[in-house]
Amino acid sequence: MPPTVQPCAPPALTCSYNIISSVRVPAGWKVSLFTDPGLQGRSLVLTADLARLDGEFDDKVSSIKAERTN
């Protein structure tokens, strides 16, 4: 199955524009956060929950890619 790509653009409901400060990642998933729209810019890959994003990503996530890992 190909990866699921969900950029933050209307009417996407998977993220809000630049207000994400924590991430919950379900077991069996990988989430990539990007600082720019369209899966561009700096990226951070998470395979587990992160209660607090650091300064580089806190309130600066503009697009997200979620992929099932199993």
Side-chain angles (χ1 to χ4, degrees):
M1 174 178 236
T4 300
V5 176
Q6 182 64 60
C8 292
L13 299 175
T14 56
C15 63
S16 297
Y17 303 95
N18 300 320
I19 61 169
I20 295 172
S21 59
S22 64
V23 178
R24 185 165 294 205
V25 180
W29 287 83
K30 173 174 72 171
V31 174
S32 301
L33 309 176
F34 298 87
T35 56
D36 296 334
L39 308 178
Q40 299 295 311
R42 285 171 273 168
S43 64
L44 175 66
V45 177
L46 302 172
T47 57
D49 294 353
L50 186 59
R52 182 77 177 148
L53 292 171
D54 68 18
E56 185 175 355
F57 287 89
D58 186 31
D59 294 336
K60 296 180 177 89
V61 174
S62 293
S63 56
I64 297 172
K65 178 170 75 171
E67 301 174 87
R68 193 176 282 272
T69 59
N70 59 12

